[in-house]
Amino acid sequence: MSIVVNESWTLEEGADRVSALFEQTFGARPQAVHSAPGRVNVIGEHTDYNGGFALPMALPHRTYAAVSKRDDRVVRLVSAQGQGVREVNLDEVDTHDSDNPVQGWPAYVVGVAWALEQAGLGELPGMDVAIDSCVPFGAGLSSSAALECAVAAAWDDFMSQTPDWSPMLATEEGRAKLVEACIRAENDIAGAPTGGMDQAASLRCKAGSVILLDSKDSSVRHIPFAIDEAGLELLVIDTRAEHSLADGQYAERRATCEAAAKKLGVEFLSELGMDADLSGLSQLEQMRTRHVVSEIQRTLDFAQLLEAGDFVGERLQALGELMTESHESLRVDYEVTVPELDIAVEEALANGAVGARMTGGGFGGSAIALVPKEKSARVMEAIAARYEREGFNEPHFLHAVPSAPAE
Ligand code: GLA
């Protein structure tokens, strides 16, 4: 049985590809190349918009942007994954609620400029930009955040050549501000009501580590994630089942959580303890709340175990169990899994994974499995064979190595 592994590009390879596309499209070499990673969330799902904790890491798979600054306010865009050249004037970008003229993937690009300007950072120049990416699309691995963060890095770089701008990429504080702008671009211009974990991961993770992200105050703690040295692998299973965050399901989960918080008199569900009295909520609100509150606790427990020492014995066992419990909670109480995700988890566990769960928003997308390296091939084969028997799309696999942030 053939196994499809989605390899990442080296930085050089990515830069070469995107520079060639730029030159072929715009007839000159780009002034700079920037890039930003996709992410996997190790644990802490649907917690970010509830003011809770998540534990993502950056993937080696990145989106590349080759750019040249323009003297006007026009953004010309081309993508290796799209068709033709698109052109948008930054003066015409407006929020999603009004008659927004920017549709499709360019909204993620010009939305970032709009959000930086809204944050009072002055008027940004237009640019020519070519995009290429090895982050799979629609796989729940944050290809949209990778795109936003790569162009955020480009605008920061252009503006850093002007007198009043200190490079935001150079400091944690500056990166946090770029995260905010990318979230606004996604929420207000692209129209996806996501919570911010993806942008934080893409801009603030470090190679070799996960971040413990506290969405209440946007603070992050870097925690080493040396799975490789421990003989383990974090395997990503891209189910290639239909997946979309903008189709209303995600927004509906978020709205239910907000309604539940309001009824309970808290700003965010993260303020509730494990023993909170949920009896005043509808049955559905109780289920969603139960997931959020327990998931935040699992994420903190996971982080504490990681900080306590190596991936061995009972500690490793406990880490795996937390991942698998997270999946169960997302399946039963949050109802965001699909058969492809459940079966990927089931087969991974049956074939030697220490723990497994869906990652990202759900409704399709990807699952992850923490697997002893010597069992990785067996897990991939078992999942691929089962998918074939079930008549699902052929799964793709990625090796998730904790990687560097946007640059
Ligand atoms: C998507 C969103 C994130 C987060 C996850 C679920 O990836 O973009 O903000 O809510 O779903 O944890």
Side-chain angles (χ1 to χ4, degrees):
M1 148 145 308
S2 75
I3 298 293
V4 183
V5 177
N6 205 323
E7 304 288 355
S8 57
W9 303 333
T10 63
L11 287 178
E12 294 70 33
E13 212 177 329
D16 286 350
R17 291 175 78 118
V18 82
S19 299
L21 176 64
F22 186 99
E23 196 165 355
Q24 183 192 320
T25 311
F26 301 116
R29 297 290 293 166
Q31 288 166 357
V33 174
H34 295 275
S35 66
R39 63 98 190 90
V40 285
N41 189 20
V42 179
I43 195 163
E45 221 64 81
H46 289 279
T47 52
D48 57 355
Y49 52 83
N50 286 302
F53 289 92
L55 199 83
M57 60 178 237
L59 285 170
H61 300 71
R62 302 174 76 88
T63 292
Y64 294 81
V67 294
S68 285
K69 187 169 140 194
R70 295 173 57 95
D71 297 332
D72 56 16
R73 297 267 291 160
V74 171
V75 178
R76 287 195 297 172
L77 320 95
V78 66
S79 161
Q81 284 76 34
Q83 272 174 359
V85 179
R86 301 277 300 267
E87 200 170 306
V88 182
N89 190 312
L90 288 178
D91 292 326
E92 287 165 13
V93 182
D94 208 341
T95 58
H96 191 70
D97 300 330
S98 60
D99 271 344
N100 184 10
V102 193
Q103 300 295 329
W105 70 270
Y108 293 95
V109 175
V110 297
V112 173
W114 173 87
L116 287 168
E117 291 181 351
Q118 290 285 312
L121 293 170
E123 198 172 271
L124 267 55
M127 65 161 110
D128 289 337
V129 50
I131 304 288
D132 202 351
S133 182
C134 60
V135 184
F137 291 148
L141 301 174
S142 294
S143 57
S144 48
L147 175 58
E148 291 151 11
C149 297
V151 297
W155 261 303
D156 180 47
D157 187 17
F158 288 148
M159 291 306 283
S160 298
Q161 296 152 21
T162 61
D164 298 331
W165 188 286
S166 28
M168 293 166 89
L169 272 187
T171 62
E172 275 286 320
E173 203 192 343
R175 282 179 179 261
K177 282 194 192 142
L178 290 175
V179 169
E180 287 309 315
C182 292
I183 296 172
R184 282 206 72 188
E186 179 141 349
N187 289 172
D188 296 347
I189 302 298
T194 54
M197 180 224 334
D198 310 341
Q199 294 79 3
S202 190
L203 275 156
R204 301 185 71 189
C205 280
K206 287 187 179 151
S209 300
V210 290
I211 51 170
L212 179 64
L213 168 68
D214 183 351
S215 292
K216 192 91 192 267
D217 60 7
S218 304
S219 62
V220 303
R221 191 155 92 222
H222 298 272
I223 305 179
F225 196 60
I227 42 176
D228 190 48
E229 289 161 29
L232 294 163
E233 159 163 58
L234 192 69
L235 183 68
V236 181
I237 305 113
D238 170 5
T239 65
R240 300 180 68 242
E242 289 287 312
H243 158 96
S244 166
L245 286 182
D247 71 354
Q249 291 267 25
Y250 181 95
E252 195 220 275
R253 294 297 181 285
R254 186 171 179 159
T256 305
C257 290
E258 284 165 3
K262 202 166 170 198
K263 276 194 196 169
L264 295 170
V266 291
E267 190 186 358
F268 293 113
L269 292 182
S270 62
E271 287 161 40
L272 303 175
M274 289 286 276
D275 53 0
D277 176 10
L278 306 182
S279 57
L281 301 178
S282 71
Q283 205 198 335
L284 194 73
E285 287 166 347
Q286 289 189 27
M287 286 162 65
R288 307 301 191 236
T289 304
R290 203 156 56 217
H291 165 72
V292 172
V293 173
S294 64
E295 183 75 354
I296 291 170
Q297 190 57 49
R298 278 186 291 275
T299 307
L300 290 172
D301 291 349
F302 196 99
Q304 200 177 25
L305 283 166
L306 281 187
E307 285 181 320
D310 300 338
F311 292 88
V312 286
E314 282 176 15
R315 190 177 307 115
L316 177 58
Q317 192 82 20
L319 287 167
E321 278 163 15
L322 287 168
M323 290 175 72
T324 308
E325 282 166 19
S326 162
H327 184 83
E328 271 310 284
S329 177
L330 288 155
R331 184 177 73 80
V332 176
D333 278 340
Y334 221 66
E335 298 182 296
V336 290
T337 72
V338 292
E340 284 88 339
L341 288 167
D342 297 335
I343 281 174
V345 167
E346 184 189 315
E347 288 294 337
L349 292 173
N351 287 280
V354 184
R357 58 182 294 277
M358 57 154 272
T359 188
F363 313 109
S366 295
I368 51 173
L370 188 61
V371 189
K373 278 185 201 162
E374 68 279 7
K375 293 189 177 150
S376 173
R378 183 171 134 196
V379 167
M380 288 193 280
E381 275 158 26
I383 294 172
R386 178 77 185 275
Y387 269 40
E388 196 175 336
R389 289 202 299 281
E390 300 283 346
F392 295 162
N393 288 338
E394 183 184 34
H396 288 181
F397 298 92
L398 289 78
H399 300 298
V401 178
S403 298
E407 61 169 46

